[in-house]
Amino acid sequence: MEWITSISALEWMGYAASVVVAVSLALSSVVKFRVVNLIGAALFSAYGFIIGAYPVGVMNGFIVLVDLYYLAQIFGRKEVFEVLEIQPDSRFLQRFLDFHRQDIQGFFPDYHFDPVNDSLTFFVLRNMEVAGVFAGSPDGKGGLKVSIDYVIPRFRDLKNGRFVYGHLGKQLTRAGIKTIQACPMAPTHERYLRRMGFKAQSDGVYSKSL
């Protein structure tokens, strides 16, 4: 493994930049892609200027500016969110779930469409596009157990979650719901619940008061 120790810190910087850019291309979330790609391009730009490869430095510096521009557009854009309550036996809902089945299983591996238990079901609309689906079952005691809270890849910037547990939370409160409970089925889902203000309970269930 002598070749590893013979590689300079500068060369490692170039390899690291390559890896970061490659990782960014594999991300489905537009926001994550822009952030990770920005980091990789910044490393490449610095690497290019340090070794005297100015075209590499300038080109990647330009990519950094492009990423910053689009991130500013994403986070500064005023978007219109709405919730559309739908019947749990909706054929369009079934088609939506079937189309995104593989991705859904990555977050909710045990989820199965149940028109009986998913008695409160909403599409989350973002600028009139279906950005995700939220479904839950009231327990009759002021609680709501979330069955699914799914967002399609290009809208995963937490804005949907904040809207759901903000605006929709108020709507649920008017319907007599006081507490929302969810059981994380994957590490990414658990991190999402924590960022949405859910607290872990002793039985592994996460809850949030409205």
Side-chain angles (χ1 to χ4, degrees):
M1 305 294 287
E2 294 182 1
W3 65 274
I4 294 180
T5 57
S6 66
I7 297 177
S8 67
L10 189 58
E11 288 177 291
W12 278 121
M13 182 180 182
Y15 287 126
S18 299
V19 170
V20 173
V21 171
V23 169
S24 74
L25 298 176
L27 299 173
S28 56
S29 168
V30 174
V31 174
K32 290 180 180 178
F33 162 73
R34 289 293 177 189
V35 171
V36 177
N37 187 259
L38 185 152
I39 295 171
L43 285 172
F44 254 133
S45 182
Y47 174 76
F49 283 117
I50 291 172
I51 67 173
Y54 298 113
V56 173
V58 171
M59 178 58 68
N60 283 277
F62 175 73
I63 293 173
V64 169
L65 294 178
V66 171
D67 285 331
L68 286 172
Y69 170 80
Y70 280 108
L71 284 170
Q73 291 289 307
I74 291 170
F75 289 110
R77 181 190 308 145
K78 184 177 180 180
E79 297 180 300
V80 178
F81 286 86
E82 298 178 67
V83 288
L84 179 64
E85 186 169 4
I86 54 177
Q87 295 300 313
D89 59 352
S90 162
R91 292 179 62 187
F92 181 67
L93 171 62
Q94 182 66 69
R95 183 71 187 93
F96 178 88
L97 294 173
D98 286 343
F99 184 82
H100 295 285
R101 182 177 305 279
Q102 185 174 356
D103 191 41
I104 289 173
Q105 288 180 344
F107 299 93
F108 303 91
D110 298 328
Y111 176 74
H112 298 286
F113 178 65
D114 187 344
V116 176
N117 289 324
D118 294 348
S119 55
L120 280 178
T121 309
F122 302 87
F123 273 133
V124 179
L125 306 181
R126 190 164 171 173
N127 298 327
M128 288 307 294
E129 294 185 63
V130 177
V133 62
F134 177 93
S137 177
D139 60 10
K141 302 177 182 179
L144 177 74
K145 184 177 181 180
V146 177
S147 304
I148 187 171
D149 176 12
Y150 172 74
V151 179
I152 65 175
R154 68 190 184 91
F155 288 127
R156 287 182 193 150
D157 55 7
L158 298 181
K159 289 184 180 180
N160 270 60
R162 294 190 184 102
F163 174 76
V164 165
Y165 296 110
H167 173 83
L168 182 55
K170 295 176 183 177
Q171 187 172 327
L172 294 174
T173 299
R174 291 194 293 269
I177 301 297
K178 299 178 181 178
T179 305
I180 299 178
Q181 294 184 331
C183 297
M185 303 179 189
T188 49
H189 186 205
E190 182 178 357
R191 290 194 296 270
Y192 167 76
L193 291 176
R194 290 183 182 277
R195 296 188 72 173
M196 290 299 105
F198 282 75
K199 303 297 182 182
Q201 306 300 308
S202 58
D203 54 2
V205 175
Y206 279 65
S207 67
K208 176 182 175 68
S209 298
L210 297 177

